[in-house]
Amino acid sequence: MMLAIKEAASDMSPYVRKTAAHAIPKLYSLDSDQKDQLIEVIEKLLADKTTLVAGSVVMAFEEVCPERIDLIHKNYRKLCNLLIDVEEWGQVVIISMLTRYARTQFLSPTQNESLLEENPEKAFYGSEEDEAKGPGSEEATATALPARKPYVMDPDHRLLLRNTKPLLQSRSAAVVMAVAQLYFHLAPKAEVGVIAKALVRLLRSHSEVQYVVLQNVATMSIKRRGMFEPYLKSFYIRSTDPTQIKILKLEVLTNLANETNIPTVLREFQTYIRSMDKDFVAATIQAIGRCATNIGRVRDTCLNGLVQLLSNRDELVVAESVVVIKKLLQMQPAQHGEIIKHLAKLTDNIQVPMARASILWLIGEYCEHVPRIAPDVLRKMAKSFTAEEDIVKLQVINLAAKLYLTNSKQTKLLTQYVLSLAKYDQNYDIRDRARFTRQLIVPSEQGGALSRHAKKLFLAPKPAPVLESSFKDRDHFQLGSLSHLLNAKATGYQELPDWPEEAPDPSVRNVEVPEWTKCSNREKRKEKEKPFYSDSEGESGPTESADSDPGSESESDSKSSSESGSGESNSESDNEDQEDDEEKGRSSESEQSEEEGKKKMKKRKKVSEGQGEGTSSDEGSDSSSSSSESEMTSETEEEQVEPASWRKKTPPSSKSAPAAKEISLLDLEDFTPPSVQPVSPPMVVSTSLATDLEGLTLTDSSLVPSLLSPVLGVGRQELLHRVAGEGLAVDYTFSRQPFSGDPHMVSVHIHFSNSSDTPIKGLHVGTPKLPAGISIQEFPEIESLAPGESATAIMGINFCDSTQAANFQLCTQTRQFYVSIQPPVGELMAPVFMSENEFKKEQGKLTGMNEITEKLTLPDTCRSDHVVVQKVTATANLGRVPCGTSDEYRFAGRTLTSGSLVLLTLDAQPTGAAQLTVNSEKMVIGTMLVKDVVQALTQ
Amino acid sequence: MIHSLFLINCSGDIFLEKHWKSVVSQSVCDYFFEAQEKAVDVENVPPVISTPHHYLISIYRDKLFFVSVIQTEVPPLFVIEFLHRVADTFQDYFGECSEAAIKDNVVIVYELLEEMLDNGFPLATESNILKELIKPPTILRSVVNSITGSSNVGDTLPTGQLSNIPWRRAGVKYTNNEAYFDVVEEIDAIIDKSGSTVFAEIQGVIDACIKLSGMPDLSLSFMNPRLLDDVSFHPCIRFKRWESERVLSFIPPDGNFRLISYRVSSQNLVAIPVYVKHSISFKENSSCGRFDITIGPKQNMGKTIEGITVTVHMPKVVLNMNLTPTQGSYTFDPVTKVLTWDVGKITPQKLPSLKGLVNLQSGAPKPEENPSLNIQFKIQQLAISGLKVNRLDMYGEKYKPFKGVKYVTKAGKFQVRT
């Protein structure tokens, strides 16, 4: 046998070699003594360059010697490159093997998390763990920061991620899942998002596939909620889904619920509660309970909903609600005495033991809130004690003990009666409990010490339970594995190793190929990086001389990046074999350009469909090692030629100086009263038009000044704090001037000031990640900002008539800051001018759902015309419509993107009572506007 | 990996078993039956069952359970995917994947299973390769085989297996060279009580039927490829061409296969071609209720909607239904409580409706929820997303093929909550 396999393993035909690989596990299971010899054969076959053999031999490897990870080193790059052409079954096996391999060989891409947490980047990386930290601590870490070494992804790690990504498009669910788990376990947080779409696609497949995928999604969604948020609706439940699928989807929905989407989720849950499938209804009630504990804002709503369910006809539903209500009440019992009373009444009707037990526990625990009812409940329970289930009996004893301690006058006899009944119960547990309780609460000669503390023992404040997902800690199993699904270790499960502390030597993967010249090149480059990164603050000591002319490289980053990029792909194509693959036979240039095309495509796609989710930062996910790597290298080079670039930079900085001065002048103006704000030409036209109109109607004299000085809506808002920005402070204001490039955009003035002692160079906007529809017109790059100087730039943002925040990166030459601008609703519109008649006509068209009315009382300070107009126009960018009556104010505007009319009417009575009406097609905008204006007027 | 396979029919008989390693006793299936009993509904049998020594991974297809026995850790989707591939192959060979068809072709079934899995690891699963190895049954061949005693296992190694394109067999020859593409789009939607859309998206597939001689290299381009949000490909498609140019370039397998399946981004508003007016009510404390639904066209892009079927799972307390349809026919199964109304075509002049009374079990409390309506329909010659094939080019061969594209829109999981 052994001989035959050895011979076949070196056969000419790859099919024979493949069969030889298949034979290895067979022989191994027959005779495991031959292991060493078999490993030799495996080693030989692993070096095989055909796609046909790769899958089978890795399979044999996994069966015979999964621990011999050292055999993979030399073949790692080859396997990565072959992967896409291996048949589907082989792909699955290879990917899961490579996941394990990568976990032992590369550093964790998220290892610097602790470090990032104090960074401004944290907001970008995950919504879970961003929370305000005092500026002091940030400052402290900011100084400590440079001492540590930033994470650099090993190029081989990157290679793996990049080569597996196309497989997400595979038709085979198993392959997609394998890639998904690889990304989940190996990719940096920012890149994991790409797998969500593919996983959601699998949900259309057979129900068994759905079942497995949902299990995995449930686990993932606990850790990376943002990833699946855009696909929330794909997890909505159909009444025809099998129950097990329904429950898993419910789990995912619950995991995904957060402050913003909870209303929609709860509305869905309401539909589910009426389902005919009772198991599913019970699970839904549990899910509501979990939402209520996780999201404090909706706790009361949920509780009310659950209390309503108590009058449901189905007993199971009631019982489940009771159990959940009990858990919720434990969080804030004092406010809910009523609910406890209501529950107490239910004891007569509910038969489900778990629910009865829960009610009794609640009454006992909070007997001081229901002092009259509690003894009565105990009386009833004592009567029916013998007929109760064990779990209820235990709670009756519990209740009796607690009442005895708090209200012994009324309940002493009852308690003793219950305890005596329990003493002769059939269940030993109940007998034990009764004996124990009696000793504890009834003072006797011997047990005095304990009974003195009985009250403390029984009525100690108990922490509220945390309702957690059952999928919480499942991710310690490799996702997609059988063990993960069963949540138990299956035979033959290979533990997913933890990331190593120190990176093992990457050179083990180098393959000795005669024309391997680029390798040394790359090696050199890697060496160069090191000194740079060890002191990234820039005071780099003497570094190795770069092999190319530094001047030319510093001139164009892009050039150097493309150079290193193509170098990368060259080295790869040397590495990979071109034996049987037509696609790889192409030149590296075309590959490179394709890569770039891909990137662009991805970006465009993202912009068109991307959702405003914070965690899945797609920028990095474009999976091109060439880009990330080249960034690093170009930075290095930049650093090395510091003096040279300084010399070069001098002329531009002197050139930019006057410009900067101008800007700072502008900046100063911002502090002066808003009326001095420069008015752009179109504004002038419109205001003059307004004065014309005003001349026609001749009513309100206060109109002119209020129109002529476009009020600055919102004062300066902070975009980036001085400390977080390492000396760069950024504020923004909504200037309310039409944005010159695109009328749909809101123009935002951004004020930069540099309070550090080094100049900040190359300020520009990095690739934004925007929710659907939102687009940004970036401001021109600010070349340099000297210490102590400030500058202003204007950028346009098309918010698409929503108040979603626009997130983007603010990049300097050395750093990137993640910032976001959220517009107040009033800034999403521009004033229009119309006559009273026109106004009324338009208002007539926008009634019904489009009309929102609110009553309010104007405080004394804001009864005068001027103040009212000023306050409204400060809140919203609307134009005053002249009108005949003195106590009516009308304002009109159009939303910037869709141009829908927004009409605002304020009808003020002399007494101070007023009615505010907003008519707009955009109901959301209307509602928010009403809220804002009312707030502004009544303050 | 995969130790054994048991095929079990609905009544719980194991009618076929196949072992790739050592024989595993049939008794292992008892665990499966136990789970099946617990689940009540066939759909609720957990796909993965853990037993003391083995793991059972099962799928349910066409009223048959495919239960595989696993001994060691393996990605469950790997096995599930494989079992579905087996079922697909049966379907492909015998026209249907039923107990009768499998029993009629036991020899071929065993031959197939033997080729598809080697020592528990999938070997040849591509239909083109399998067909070269094992000829599909025809009447003539079975007669000849029974007379000559030969088997229908091919003698030669399939050529595709060795090439770069394992999905295509070599030496294909047709007199009429044809390439047909069916663009089939399904609308998945949940419509709420008031008629507004809770969730809607379009899922599409392009199925191809390619009968071309030689080694054709096709490229298919779309007028509006940006519509496709998420795509999964047959392995034959060159991924890089798609990424860079949005062109599907491939050497096709021979015969029928699924070229791509895609999802149209749910950002775009999905046109919902039908609306349903419904009023279903059950009276408190009486044994009857009302049932009235009307279907009408909406956003149908000027095409007729055909093949409409409405399926309703009525609550358990419903005993019988007395309804009158204005069009088509209805059936109510009192056992499964499923109402099916076969409507047919919608003519806008006279909207089809179904009205009548529902008989409830007396004394039982009235159902709390109205049942949701599942609707099926079909619109010919329309891809609801607006996807259009631009052109199909062929390289590598000289002849001129006959090309055709057909568009169909169907209802997928289309549910109206009432």
Side-chain angles (χ1 to χ4, degrees), chain A residues 1 13 32 94 105 116 220 226 228 246 277 334 371 551 571 576 618 742 755 834 844 908 939:
Chain A
M1 278 292 281
S13 160
S32 51
I94 295 178
Q105 297 302 314
L116 285 172
M220 289 185 197
F228 291 99
K246 281 181 185 164
D277 186 342
S571 57
E576 73 195 43
D618 352 82
D742 181 347
S755 56
M834 47 170 65
Q939 249 171 19

Side-chain angles (χ1 to χ4, degrees), chain A residues 13 15 18 22 25-26 52 55-56 59 63 88-90 92-93 166 169-174 177 197-198 200-201 203-204 206 208-213 231 233-234 236-240 242-244 268 271-272 274-276 278 312-314 480-483 485-486 489-493 580 582-583 586 591 594 598 601-602 604-605 609 611 772, chain B residues 1 21 43-48 50 55 57-61 70-78 80-82 84-85 118-119 121-123 125-126 157 161-162 164 186 188-190 193 198-199 201 203 226 229-235 238-241 243-246 263 267 284 313-316 365-366 368-369 371-372 374 412-413 415 417:
Chain A
S13 160
Y15 192 74
K18 182 187 172 76
H22 274 274
K26 288 183 204 167
L52 210 55
S56 305
M59 186 63 226
E63 294 249 320
E88 291 159 350
W89 312 110
V92 178
V93 178
Q169 240 95 41
S170 170
R171 67 168 167 175
S172 158
M177 190 63 232
K197 198 189 271 182
V200 170
R201 184 183 66 226
L203 293 181
R204 273 277 294 178
H206 303 284
E208 296 87 9
V209 177
Q210 280 186 43
Y211 176 81
V212 178
V213 171
Y231 305 100
K233 288 190 170 179
S234 304
Y236 280 7
I237 294 158
R238 292 182 169 77
S239 60
T240 40
T243 311
Q244 51 182 352
E268 269 297 297
T271 330
Y272 302 159
R274 291 201 304 272
S275 166
M276 284 179 261
K278 290 305 163 206
N312 194 293
R313 200 176 293 120
D314 194 282
S481 66
L482 188 61
S483 310
L485 193 78
L486 298 168
K489 214 168 157 184
T491 18
Y493 172 71
D580 51 0
E582 31 170 6
E583 274 148 49
R586 294 181 196 173
E591 221 164 317
E594 263 172 29
K598 191 161 101 186
M601 205 79 75
K602 269 282 139 66
R604 229 174 291 149
K605 228 160 92 186
E609 56 81 47
Q611 297 277 340
Chain B
M1 285 192 144
K21 291 184 179 171
E43 279 178 317
N44 273 328
V45 181
V48 181
S50 174
Y55 305 97
I57 299 186
S58 62
I59 64 161
Y60 179 68
R61 276 260 310 241
I70 311 292
Q71 253 178 344
T72 53
E73 167 70 43
V74 62
L77 271 183
F78 184 95
I80 290 171
E81 183 81 27
F82 176 76
H84 277 294
R85 212 53 79 77
D118 175 24
N119 195 32
F121 191 73
L123 187 61
T125 48
E126 284 294 339
L157 200 61
Q161 187 80 294
L162 296 173
N164 294 327
E186 297 193 348
D188 283 3
I190 302 176
K193 232 178 216 167
V198 177
F199 164 74
E201 67 176 7
Q203 302 271 359
R226 302 239 167 274
D229 182 32
D230 181 32
V231 197
S232 76
F233 298 122
H234 189 276
R238 296 180 183 102
F239 183 71
K240 284 186 176 160
R241 275 292 291 285
E243 280 290 273
S244 56
E245 300 164 52
R246 300 270 145 178
R263 184 175 61 202
Q267 303 286 305
E284 192 71 60
H313 291 261
M314 299 302 288
K316 291 218 171 51
K366 75 161 190 154
E368 283 160 51
E369 191 203 27
S372 42
N374 295 299
K413 297 172 176 169
Q415 196 160 75
R417 292 175 177 166

Side-chain angles (χ1 to χ4, degrees), chain A residues 545-596:
Chain A
S545 64
D547 25 22
S548 52
D549 175 32
S552 72
E553 282 201 351
S554 75
E555 253 169 24
S556 65
D557 290 5
S558 63
K559 191 181 161 198
S560 77
S561 80
S562 76
E563 260 172 28
S564 60
S566 62
E568 166 72 18
S569 71
N570 269 338
S571 57
E572 260 165 43
S573 53
D574 284 347
N575 188 8
E576 73 195 43
D577 64 301
Q578 291 140 324
E579 200 177 279
D580 51 0
D581 187 351
E582 31 170 6
E583 274 148 49
K584 283 182 196 137
R586 294 181 196 173
S587 66
S588 66
E589 281 95 350
S590 78
E591 221 164 317
Q592 176 72 15
S593 69
E594 263 172 29
E595 199 67 43
E596 268 163 22

Side-chain angles (χ1 to χ4, degrees), chain A residues 276-337:
Chain A
M276 284 179 261
D277 186 342
K278 290 305 163 206
D279 291 340
F280 170 54
V281 174
T284 309
I285 294 170
Q286 291 281 3
I288 293 177
R290 259 181 59 205
C291 286
T293 45
N294 296 342
I295 303 162
R297 201 160 61 88
V298 295
R299 197 169 297 152
D300 288 337
T301 327
C302 290
L303 202 53
N304 287 339
L306 290 172
V307 171
Q308 273 167 29
L309 282 181
L310 291 178
S311 48
N312 194 293
R313 200 176 293 120
D314 194 282
E315 189 169 312
L316 271 171
V317 174
V318 179
E320 200 68 41
S321 315
V322 168
V323 175
V324 174
I325 287 176
K326 175 200 139 194
K327 288 178 185 158
L328 289 182
L329 283 187
Q330 243 178 304
M331 294 182 168
Q332 39 195 173
Q335 302 157 25
H336 299 293

Side-chain angles (χ1 to χ4, degrees), chain A residues 38-274:
Chain A
L38 285 174
I39 291 175
E40 268 171 42
V41 182
I42 290 175
E43 191 171 4
K44 189 171 161 198
L45 284 173
L46 273 173
D48 203 295
K49 288 195 180 77
T50 53
T51 53
L52 210 55
V53 183
S56 305
V57 69
V58 173
M59 186 63 226
F61 171 82
E62 288 284 82
E63 294 249 320
V64 179
C65 51
E67 72 286 348
R68 287 291 302 274
I69 217 84
D70 55 301
L71 295 181
I72 304 298
H73 290 322
K74 292 259 181 268
N75 303 298
Y76 171 81
R77 286 177 193 154
K78 183 199 74 193
L79 281 175
C80 284
N81 287 320
L82 285 184
L83 195 56
I84 193 150
D85 295 305
V86 176
E87 32 92 44
E88 291 159 350
W89 312 110
Q91 284 173 349
V92 178
V93 178
I94 295 178
I95 291 172
S96 67
M97 186 274 290
L98 287 179
T99 311
R100 247 181 36 241
Y101 177 83
R103 269 294 184 105
T104 58
Q105 297 302 314
F106 305 128
L107 289 177
S108 163
T110 48
Q111 63 174 354
N112 288 5
E113 216 124 279
S114 54
L115 195 142
L116 285 172
E117 226 146 85
E118 280 90 10
N119 252 327
E121 275 166 1
K122 70 189 175 185
F124 170 74
Y125 271 111
S127 49
E128 315 93 278
E129 71 252 69
D130 62 339
E131 244 357 295
K133 292 227 165 67
S137 74
E138 274 181 39
E139 206 147 37
T141 42
T143 49
L145 201 77
R148 288 204 242 171
K149 187 174 157 188
Y151 167 72
V152 184
M153 186 181 276
D154 190 295
D156 289 325
H157 189 172
R158 177 50 72 196
L159 175 76
L160 176 62
L161 291 179
R162 190 181 41 189
N163 281 359
T164 47
K165 199 175 168 202
L167 295 178
L168 281 174
Q169 240 95 41
S170 170
R171 67 168 167 175
S172 158
V175 175
V176 175
M177 190 63 232
V179 179
Q181 64 86 19
L182 180 128
Y183 260 76
F184 183 80
H185 289 300
L186 298 183
K189 266 191 173 177
E191 291 173 38
V192 182
V194 293
I195 63 176
K197 198 189 271 182
L199 287 177
V200 170
R201 184 183 66 226
L202 296 185
L203 293 181
R204 273 277 294 178
S205 195
H206 303 284
S207 81
E208 296 87 9
V209 177
Q210 280 186 43
Y211 176 81
V212 178
V213 171
L214 281 170
Q215 292 252 6
N216 287 295
V217 169
T219 309
M220 289 185 197
S221 60
I222 289 172
K223 274 227 158 153
R224 310 272 157 86
R225 179 204 288 161
M227 193 161 97
F228 291 99
E229 251 168 48
Y231 305 100
L232 182 77
K233 288 190 170 179
S234 304
F235 300 101
Y236 280 7
I237 294 158
R238 292 182 169 77
S239 60
T240 40
D241 286 333
T243 311
Q244 51 182 352
I245 301 284
K246 281 181 185 164
I247 287 172
L248 283 172
K249 279 187 175 174
L250 204 56
E251 174 74 37
V252 176
L253 281 176
T254 318
N255 289 344
L256 294 183
N258 62 12
E259 289 274 342
T260 46
N261 59 25
I262 187 74
T264 35
V265 172
L266 281 182
R267 208 172 315 131
E268 269 297 297
F269 284 178
Q270 268 167 23
T271 330
Y272 302 159
I273 279 176
R274 291 201 304 272

